[in-house]
Amino acid sequence: MGLLEQREVVARRRVDESRKEADRIAAELAVAEQEWKEWAIARSRVGEVLAPGTDDAAGPEASHGLQQPERPEPPKDAEAGSS
């Protein structure tokens, strides 16, 4: 019986090691797939922006709302007092 138990323990260790390796590979695969999807989305979006003849393509006018507002002129009284 001892020999059978010994072989069973060895087989069980191989199974445990293989599961750990499979879990590590599955996690690595999930990260790689996520990165791949992000790059595919980025390429798609760049293609949309750079596509000629599209009405919704971002251009100088599209960023108009994102520009910094101009600074208002200081009141005339403040200029005279700071000199």
Side-chain angles (χ1 to χ4, degrees):
M1 264 321 237
L3 187 58
L4 290 175
E5 288 174 354
Q6 185 179 14
R7 288 186 180 196
E8 180 185 356
V9 168
V10 170
R12 176 65 184 197
R13 284 186 189 145
R14 280 187 51 213
V15 168
D16 290 343
E17 290 172 5
S18 295
R19 281 190 179 138
K20 286 179 186 177
E21 183 71 8
D23 290 345
R24 184 191 66 76
I25 291 171
E28 188 176 328
L29 177 61
V31 169
E33 286 177 334
Q34 182 62 34
E35 184 179 356
W36 175 37
K37 287 177 186 177
E38 290 171 1
W39 281 111
I41 290 168
R43 182 178 43 83
S44 173
R45 289 191 176 155
V46 168
E48 289 173 9
V49 169
L50 297 179
T54 58
D55 293 336
D56 60 314
E61 342 34 76
S63 64
H64 177 69
L66 302 175
Q67 294 176 352
Q68 293 286 336
E70 292 184 25
R71 288 186 168 172
E73 294 283 330
K76 297 289 183 197
D77 296 346
E79 287 180 12
S82 63
S83 302

